[in-house]
Amino acid sequence: KEPEEQFVLSDLTEYVQSQWQEEKIDWTIYHNRRCFVKVLKFCAENWILKIDDGNEENFSKDGSTEVLYENTGVSRYFMRNFTVDISGFSELSDFESEEWIGMDEDRGIIRRQRVYRKLFMTMGMYRTQETEEDFKYIKKYKHIIQNDLSGLIDCDLHVHKNSAFLVLKEDCRMGRCFPEENTLSDVALLCSTLIHEMLDSGEITCSIDEKITMPAQQFEKLLETCKETYQAGFPKKYREMTIREFASAVSQYMEEMELIEADSTDVIIKPALGKISGVYPKDFATKTGRNGGKDE
């Protein structure tokens, strides 16, 4: 059915029967009708179907009852046919790993969808041994990918030697993005500025894969410097935190946003953090109630 096209309940019962070939569905049985009504109500509540006339509850009492429905078009966007039995799947990764079973995953639409998904759903795509071919695809078809994605949202594709980023324009909003409008995001931007200063002074260096590795103790010292330097611009909650509490909150946020990777000994700063940095105005300390940074 096309969006806004109408149909009656008996059309649905006939369609369900045509799809269920194992046996004939007896709609005279109350239990069968009741189960079907529950499904119809779920569809209506989630705007998959729109009721134009009638009440499906009456179908539970009388199998000859008709209800006039309208197709909203929503059903097209979340149902699909799978080539394998998905009853044993429990994680999102199960669907991703079996999505193209029996097909060459390094060719055509399969690779394109995998690359586009990575650009949309992660902070950045990095060149590794596992992603080498996908990264070559991005570099080769950069302009085509840019045209495809910019036709969907207001964005730019930035491709570097070992990384690629989908950068949204200032007025574009699409799910959760960085930077966000909160204090932890501001702190991450301020930390990025301090990291740039450390790179310029030679205190730290960037590896060939554009990542920076520093001891966890040194990274905590960086966060301590950030707090001491800029805490006049933080809300009271963060000003009153101990260094350990502050470092824990910021590190957790930066890991969540895929800006760093951390273990008990080292912190790896990813290239995404180097794409954007922030500073407060020179007179920020004299202003009260300010808790945001300025993007550069």
Side-chain angles (χ1 to χ4, degrees):
K1 300 294 183 181
E2 295 298 320
E4 299 184 358
E5 185 176 349
Q6 292 182 318
F7 55 92
V8 293
L9 194 152
S10 58
D11 292 334
L12 286 175
T13 57
E14 291 174 5
Y15 177 78
V16 170
Q17 180 63 77
S18 69
Q19 297 299 306
W20 183 257
Q21 301 293 333
E22 296 186 17
E23 59 182 345
K24 180 176 176 59
I25 301 175
D26 189 351
W27 295 113
T28 64
I29 298 176
Y30 173 80
H31 177 73
N32 291 346
R33 297 199 307 274
R34 188 61 194 164
C35 290
F36 194 52
V37 166
K38 289 182 179 179
V39 174
L40 293 174
K41 292 182 71 173
F42 175 85
C43 292
E45 289 170 358
N46 289 276
W47 205 242
I48 299 171
L49 301 175
K50 177 184 176 184
I51 300 176
D52 285 342
D53 187 38
N55 187 338
E56 66 271 301
E57 282 290 348
N58 294 331
F59 181 68
S60 299
K61 305 172 185 177
D62 182 359
S64 63
T65 299
E66 288 287 16
V67 179
L68 182 63
Y69 291 101
E70 180 181 320
N71 180 26
T72 64
V74 172
S75 60
R76 291 185 174 186
Y77 297 96
F78 73 96
M79 292 299 293
R80 56 164 291 183
N81 293 322
F82 291 91
T83 58
V84 295
D85 182 6
I86 65 172
S87 59
F89 289 7
S90 59
E91 303 288 342
L92 177 60
S93 58
D94 295 334
F95 288 91
E96 293 177 340
S97 61
E98 299 294 339
E99 185 172 14
W100 304 107
I101 189 169
M103 303 175 68
D104 187 348
E105 297 187 16
D106 290 324
R107 297 180 63 87
I109 189 174
I110 305 177
R111 168 175 285 170
R112 184 165 71 250
Q113 289 194 9
R114 182 173 65 245
V115 168
Y116 284 23
R117 178 186 296 163
K118 191 77 171 179
L119 290 171
F120 270 117
M121 303 301 291
T122 64
M123 188 62 70
M125 184 170 177
Y126 303 115
R127 185 177 185 177
T128 64
Q129 186 175 356
E130 292 76 19
T131 64
E132 179 70 29
E133 293 303 316
D134 286 351
F135 203 80
K136 287 181 180 179
Y137 177 88
I138 291 178
K139 300 192 80 170
K140 182 177 181 179
Y141 297 105
K142 174 184 175 181
H143 297 296
I144 294 177
I145 297 173
Q146 169 71 63
N147 289 335
D148 284 350
L149 300 186
S150 61
L152 299 172
I153 60 174
D154 194 9
C155 66
D156 287 323
L157 177 64
H158 292 193
V159 181
H160 305 283
K161 183 178 180 181
N162 293 301
S163 58
F165 304 93
L166 191 63
V167 180
L168 305 186
K169 298 293 183 65
E170 187 173 352
D171 295 330
C172 182
R173 293 291 181 270
M174 187 190 72
R176 191 179 187 188
C177 304
F178 179 80
E180 299 179 297
E181 295 182 0
N182 59 48
T183 302
L184 288 175
S185 183
D186 290 345
V187 172
L189 294 174
L190 295 169
C191 286
S192 177
T193 298
L194 295 177
I195 291 170
H196 278 88
E197 293 174 356
M198 295 171 71
L199 282 169
D200 292 340
S201 67
E203 185 177 349
I204 57 176
T205 57
C206 190
S207 63
I208 193 171
D209 61 359
E210 302 173 358
K211 297 179 181 179
I212 300 170
T213 301
M214 63 171 62
Q217 188 174 4
Q218 184 182 16
F219 185 73
E220 185 171 325
K221 181 64 177 178
L222 168 71
L223 297 179
E224 181 179 354
T225 300
C226 181
K227 185 175 188 296
E228 291 176 349
T229 305
Y230 298 109
Q231 65 179 344
F234 296 169
K236 181 179 179 181
K237 172 184 175 181
Y238 294 96
R239 291 199 308 269
E240 294 183 347
M241 281 184 175
T242 64
I243 294 300
R244 184 61 59 86
E245 292 171 339
F246 181 78
S248 176
V250 176
S251 297
Q252 183 177 345
Y253 174 79
M254 294 175 76
E255 280 194 89
E256 182 182 330
M257 297 303 292
E258 301 179 5
L259 301 173
I260 65 171
E261 292 179 6
D263 56 32
S264 58
T265 57
D266 294 311
V267 174
I268 299 175
I269 300 170
K270 296 185 176 182
L273 190 59
K275 289 292 293 180
I276 186 169
S277 59
V279 295
Y280 284 151
K282 293 181 179 179
D283 61 346
F284 81 94
T286 64
K287 298 181 179 180
T288 59
R290 181 176 179 82
N291 65 348
K294 179 182 178 182
D295 297 344
E296 288 190 321

